[in-house]
């Protein structure tokens, strides 16, 4: 067994505190990644606080993991010690269902194996995440990180980055398309950068007036302050694609009304609450509401390579592990610019 240092919540809503536990010894196809930076995703907070239902404790959250390969199992071919390596939201899947075979392993029909708050494929080992000094993962679920980008800014690409890249690609964000990103947080700011790099006309829809300058610096062409109710009428029938990255409940109908003919509103934010939909709003302009969950391993690698080519990283605030609880409160208050990343040396 490999003993690792970590930060864990011992029960629901508890503060995170230092904890030690064991990772499995390396199997032939496993990679031991020494974690350098670990991002804080709002999903970590939802799960520690049981906002999505019952969770498993003790819980070591963290699924935006950037590190260096320390050791590899005897049959590993894709990684060598010293290489950069990333781990995202899942660490395995069945590998044989229709979706896994199609490269969409995040939608594995048996359920993807989450990086934490779930069981590994043996059905009994609790998976523990990235707020830790190291992690052991099968090489097929480890990603190559771009060499030209700084590590701290790469970590959030493993969840926030792919979660926005995937729907932007699926719904054809590109030249001539009006794309709106709702919520400028960890996910949203990656959406702005990717949509801009893909050539779309990008608008940020935010409830925080003080984020306008940042949005424009990230590549947004326009900024809409949604506290001003008049904007919902002004931008009626306007967008081809809206991606909702807001972590709190909201009235989706007001936003759907901003879609033009055949436009799509894609949900990636997960408040945990149901959203009432007005059918009249949806049938007008043949609008659609859809959802999207992270991305498969293949597309995640494509996203990382794209980020390397276009010099795209997350805007991060690097924190020490003992600042995690304070950071959680700031994330909930929409006060993060734009992703907290834990320096794993301090765990
Ligand atoms: P975040 O950094 O907290 O960003 C959320 C943003 O939503 C905030 O910055 C804020 O933007 C806006 N917002 C927050 N509270 C609001 C409120 N009460 N009213 C209106 N706007 C509000 O969170 P994140 O890490 O980006 O995650 C966003 C959501 O996506 C979470 O629910 C998370 O669980 C989910 N998620 C989904 C996936 C997936 O695969 N689909 C993957 C990762 C995360 P403004 O200040 O600009 O308004
Ligand atoms: Zn996440
Ligand atoms: Zn599968």
């Amino acid at each position: 067994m490999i003993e690792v240092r970590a930060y864990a919540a011992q029960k629901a809503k508890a503060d995170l505190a230092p904890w030690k536990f064991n990772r499995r010894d390396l199997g032939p196809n496993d990679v031991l990644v020494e974690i350098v930076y670990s991002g804080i995703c709002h999903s970590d907070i939802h799960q520690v606080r049981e906002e999505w239902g019952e969770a498993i404790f003790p819980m070591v959250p963290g699924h935006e993991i950037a590190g260096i390969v320390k050791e590899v199992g005897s049959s590993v071919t894709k990684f060598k010690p010293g290489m950069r390596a990333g781990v995202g939201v899942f660490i395995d899947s069945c590998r044989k269902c229709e979706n896994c075979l199609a490269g969409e392993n995040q939608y594995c029909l048996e359920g993807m194996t989450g990086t934490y708050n779930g069981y590994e494929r043996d059905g009994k080992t609790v998976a523990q995440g990235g707020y830790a000094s190291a992690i052991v993962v099968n090489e097929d679920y480890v990603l190559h990180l771009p060499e030209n980008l700084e590590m701290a800014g790469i970590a959030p690409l493993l969840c926030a980055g792919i979660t926005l890249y995937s729907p932007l690609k699926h719904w054809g964000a590109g030249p001539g398309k009006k794309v709106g990103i709702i919520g400028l947080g960890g996910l949203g700011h990656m959406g702005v950068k990717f949509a801009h790099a893909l050539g779309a006309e990008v608008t940020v829809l935010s409830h925080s007036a003080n984020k306008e300058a940042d949005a424009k610096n990230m590549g947004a062409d326009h900024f809409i302050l949604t506290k001003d109710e008049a904007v919902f009428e002004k931008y009626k029938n306007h967008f081809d694609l809206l991606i909702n990255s807001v972590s709190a409940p909201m009235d989706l109908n007001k936003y759907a009304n901003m879609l033009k003919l055949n436009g799509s509103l894609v949900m990636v934010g997960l408040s945990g609450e149901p959203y009432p939909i007005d059918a009249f709003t949806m049938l007008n302009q043949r609008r659609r509401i859809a959802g999207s969950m992270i991305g498969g391993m293949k597309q995640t690698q494509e996203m990382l390579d794209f980020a390397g080519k276009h010099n795209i990283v997350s805007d991060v605030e690097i924190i020490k592990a003992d600042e995690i609880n304070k950071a959680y409160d700031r994330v909930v208050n929409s006060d993060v610019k734009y992703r907290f990343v834990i320096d794993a040396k301090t765990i």
Side-chain angles (χ1 to χ4, degrees):
M1 298 294 239
I2 302 166
E3 193 184 63
V4 296
R5 305 182 316 278
Y7 261 63
Q10 294 296 329
K11 58 181 181 17
K13 301 184 179 63
D15 275 354
L16 278 85
W19 188 54
K20 282 190 177 149
F21 71 101
N22 292 319
R23 303 274 192 199
R24 66 169 178 268
D25 285 327
L26 289 193
N29 299 103
D30 284 339
V31 174
L32 172 64
V33 180
E34 188 168 53
I35 299 173
V36 181
Y37 292 106
S38 196
I40 294 181
C41 177
H42 206 122
S43 301
D44 301 345
I45 305 172
H46 289 310
Q47 289 173 92
V48 165
R49 299 187 176 174
E50 282 196 331
E51 290 167 356
W52 295 345
E54 212 176 308
I56 304 170
F57 295 94
M59 181 196 294
V60 178
H63 58 209
E64 294 185 336
I65 301 166
I68 302 285
V69 176
K70 190 91 191 285
E71 219 180 302
V72 297
S74 54
S75 304
V76 167
T77 56
K78 298 174 192 152
F79 290 91
K80 289 197 173 70
M83 283 170 85
R84 287 179 162 200
V87 179
V89 177
F90 60 106
I91 48 167
D92 215 332
S93 64
C94 84
R95 302 164 186 242
K96 54 186 191 312
C97 74
E98 198 182 326
N99 294 353
C100 280
L101 293 175
E104 301 269 26
N105 31 19
Q106 77 279 34
Y107 300 121
C108 174
L109 295 170
E110 285 186 13
M112 64 175 190
T113 306
T115 304
Y116 69 89
N117 192 23
Y119 293 93
E120 295 194 9
R121 294 212 80 75
D122 64 7
K124 54 181 199 289
T125 310
V126 175
Q128 298 289 9
Y131 300 0
S133 52
I135 189 166
V136 175
V137 181
N138 183 291
E139 67 167 332
D140 294 336
Y141 295 80
V142 182
L143 294 137
H144 292 283
L145 304 181
E147 289 295 330
N148 59 317
L149 305 177
E150 41 101 18
M151 285 278 258
I154 296 176
L157 299 179
L158 278 310
C159 174
I162 184 60
T163 300
L164 271 288
Y165 181 84
S166 186
L168 287 167
K169 291 289 285 190
H170 185 82
W171 275 274
K177 294 280 172 160
K178 289 189 168 68
V179 173
I181 306 287
I182 311 170
L184 194 70
L187 267 57
H189 91 292
M190 292 315 310
V192 173
K193 293 184 184 206
F194 281 125
H196 175 70
L198 289 165
E201 183 180 332
V202 189
T203 302
V204 167
L205 297 98
S206 167
H207 81 315
S208 306
N210 63 358
K211 293 184 181 174
E212 178 164 1
D214 288 345
K216 300 258 172 82
N217 284 335
M218 290 169 196
D221 301 288
H222 316 282
F223 182 89
I224 295 177
L225 185 59
T226 53
K227 276 185 172 158
D228 172 10
E229 286 292 323
V231 299
F232 292 98
E233 190 53 34
K234 185 170 170 198
Y235 292 94
K236 196 171 147 185
N237 304 336
H238 181 80
F239 291 101
D240 295 287
L241 174 64
L242 283 168
I243 302 185
N244 176 24
S245 77
V246 173
S247 49
M250 58 195 280
D251 179 1
L252 288 187
N253 298 298
K254 290 197 300 192
Y255 291 89
N257 208 35
M258 292 169 141
L259 294 171
K260 61 158 72 153
L261 183 66
N262 294 325
S264 299
L265 167 59
V266 179
M267 301 294 294
V268 295
L270 291 161
S271 73
E273 299 292 327
Y275 299 79
I277 301 294
D278 173 14
F280 284 103
T281 307
M282 298 316 299
L283 61 85
N284 188 5
Q285 306 307 314
R286 200 161 51 205
R287 297 172 173 127
R288 305 183 193 108
I289 291 195
S292 184
M293 186 175 76
I294 45 172
M297 291 304 296
K298 188 160 169 270
Q299 196 179 40
T300 306
Q301 190 61 60
E302 176 192 307
M303 175 276 306
L304 287 164
D305 298 344
F306 182 91
K309 194 164 157 218
H310 294 267
N311 269 311
I312 293 175
V313 283
S314 169
D315 293 4
V316 296
E317 275 189 58
I318 299 173
I319 60 164
K320 297 197 187 85
D322 63 8
E323 296 170 305
I324 293 172
N325 298 305
K326 213 168 53 188
Y328 272 25
D329 290 336
R330 283 189 51 200
V331 171
V332 171
N333 292 324
S334 305
D335 175 28
V336 47
K337 296 205 164 167
Y338 278 85
R339 200 57 145 186
F340 288 113
V341 164
I342 304 159
D343 177 351
K345 283 196 302 291
T346 65
I347 291 174

